[in-house]
Amino acid sequence: MSKEKLVVAVVGATGAVGREMLKTLEQREFPAHKVIALASARSAGIKVPFNGTELTVQELTENSFEGVDIAIFSAGGSTSEKFAPFAAKAGCVVVDNSSAWRMDKRCPLVVPEVNPQDLEWHNGIIANPNCSTIQMVVALKPLHDAAKIKRVVVSTYQAVSGTGQKAIEELESQVRQLFNMQQPEPKVYPYQIAFNALPHIDVFLDNDYTKEEMKMVHETVKIMGDESIKVTATAVRIPVFYGHSESVNIETEKKLTPAQARAILTQAPGITVLDNPKEKIYPMAIEAAGEDATFVGRIREDETIANGLNMWIVADNIRKGAALNAVQIAELLIERDLLGVKDTTVFQ
């Protein structure tokens, strides 16, 4: 597919992630002849910036995908469930950022640095993993290849941008309210988020884990392609605007020293190692914001088990955790000549 012919649509183009996707397409000089911005009827007509000009948002309909080669969705699960099958039927390959298709056996769940080979069997819909899962598996994959990970214990410290624009505005307004001696008003979250930490992301399930935590469990196994990896997670929302942080403990079959882990991760794609405690060098959310890389530091031995390591992983949840990963998938589809849908009836 040549640049002269390639047509790309961004679904949910007016949202925070949709706008970041357009920005990422522009910054990476994605080889598209035409980019179309799609959103709900209420957003139709809005202008969104792209490549030094503006795109006029068009209403998303069942017929929006005729002549479109790739559609990058970031419009929520219900929208993806309804419209992604219409795109696939039209021969358009969907890269979906919602949770709608992640655990569907017909859909590859892809992080380009980890399992690009899974794109080979796509049926028209490819799922973008959860933001907290993406940054973790980027760091885990090279260590798994070297020493086989048996168990992962992860605690996340997730930015409010993961909830959306209204959550960003809520944190801003609550900080102002508190500084003006006013009682903050929680609307997006069940409790005050300013100067607080909420061990509650998404809904609680019957096992008392949240849906976010179980996403990390199931998605990690699917992406890594190894059902023997055991994962347990605790997901926490903190008053940071951009950048998810994770405390990750791994147990491996083979002994891996911190020095060996640093050497492996330094050579791994998509990773920047920031790990010099003596000089107070370690990853932080404020430095990861706006960056493409996944940052890893605080790599140290878990002295309670024979083969264990602790590490601290940070990435921009809107960038690598959503927009960049989706665009990287689209780039691979072109590079590997995987555009088009072989069987347009799979999701009908």
Side-chain angles (χ1 to χ4, degrees), residues 27-105:
Q27 290 177 340
R28 293 175 72 86
E29 298 181 348
F30 191 85
H33 168 64
K34 184 179 181 182
V35 175
I36 301 169
L38 298 170
S40 63
R42 67 178 179 273
S43 296
I46 290 175
K47 306 284 188 180
V48 290
F50 179 72
N51 208 20
T53 182
E54 291 182 323
L55 301 176
T56 301
V57 175
Q58 302 175 27
E59 181 184 354
L60 173 66
T61 71
E62 296 173 2
N63 299 315
S64 292
F65 305 101
E66 295 297 330
V68 177
D69 300 293
I70 303 173
I72 305 176
F73 275 63
S74 186
S78 59
T79 299
S80 293
E81 285 178 0
K82 179 178 179 181
F83 288 100
F86 288 108
K89 185 179 180 181
C92 170
V93 183
V94 171
V95 182
D96 180 49
N97 195 54
S98 78
S99 62
W101 303 98
R102 289 176 186 158
M103 298 313 297
D104 192 305
K105 292 181 179 179

Side-chain angles (χ1 to χ4, degrees), residues 143 146-147 254-266 299 309:
L143 301 178
K254 179 183 173 183
K255 178 69 175 179
L256 205 58
T257 68
Q260 289 170 330
R262 286 187 202 99
I264 291 167
L265 291 171
T266 298
I299 303 167
L309 290 173

Side-chain angles (χ1 to χ4, degrees), residues 130-307:
N130 187 37
C131 48
S132 51
T133 306
I134 289 174
Q135 66 187 69
M136 183 173 74
V137 297
V138 167
L140 293 188
K141 180 60 164 61
L143 301 178
H144 183 61
D145 289 345
K148 190 168 173 55
I149 295 172
K150 295 166 58 178
R151 184 169 185 257
V152 180
V153 181
V154 53
S155 297
T156 73
Y157 305 79
Q158 297 180 221
V160 295
S161 53
T163 309
Q165 186 61 36
K166 289 183 179 179
I168 295 172
E169 293 168 359
E170 178 157 301
L171 175 55
E172 289 176 343
S173 66
Q174 287 185 359
V175 169
R176 291 195 190 96
Q177 288 167 340
L178 287 164
F179 279 141
N180 286 287
M181 307 301 288
Q182 298 171 351
Q183 185 65 30
E185 301 176 23
K187 295 177 181 177
V188 176
Y189 297 114
Y191 300 100
Q192 172 188 321
I193 184 61
F195 308 105
N196 199 9
L198 304 179
H200 175 190
I201 299 179
D202 213 322
V203 297
F204 282 100
L205 304 175
D206 290 342
N207 63 356
D208 289 338
Y209 284 80
T210 63
K211 192 175 180 181
E212 180 82 2
E213 291 160 351
M214 295 311 297
K215 285 177 190 175
M216 296 191 74
V217 173
H218 299 309
E219 291 179 21
T220 298
V221 170
K222 182 174 179 178
I223 297 164
M224 301 278 278
D226 189 340
E227 293 187 358
S228 71
I229 301 174
K230 305 301 180 186
V231 183
T232 187
T234 301
V236 182
R237 188 73 68 189
I238 61 170
V240 167
F241 289 114
Y242 297 97
H244 288 352
S245 304
E246 298 172 348
S247 171
V248 179
N249 174 277
I250 62 170
E251 182 179 2
T252 56
E253 283 191 2
K254 179 183 173 183
K255 178 69 175 179
L256 205 58
T257 68
Q260 289 170 330
R262 286 187 202 99
I264 291 167
L265 291 171
T266 298
Q267 300 298 317
I271 291 177
T272 297
V273 175
L274 297 175
D275 193 13
N276 188 345
K278 290 184 176 63
E279 300 296 327
K280 300 182 180 63
I281 295 174
Y282 35 72
M284 293 184 291
I286 56 172
E287 294 181 341
E291 298 294 326
D292 287 349
T294 296
F295 298 89
V296 185
R298 296 297 320 279
I299 303 167
R300 61 205 188 278
E301 191 161 349
D302 178 352
E303 298 177 345
T304 67
I305 54 177
N307 299 333

Side-chain angles (χ1 to χ4, degrees), residues 1-8 24-35 50-51 69-70 72 327-335 339:
M1 178 66 65
S2 68
K3 183 177 180 179
E4 287 71 30
K5 297 180 180 179
L6 190 67
V7 178
V8 176
T24 305
L25 288 168
E26 177 183 337
Q27 290 177 340
R28 293 175 72 86
E29 298 181 348
F30 191 85
H33 168 64
K34 184 179 181 182
V35 175
F50 179 72
N51 208 20
D69 300 293
I70 303 173
I72 305 176
V327 173
Q328 286 177 306
I329 290 172
E331 290 170 343
L332 280 175
L333 289 171
I334 298 169
E335 180 185 319
L339 293 180

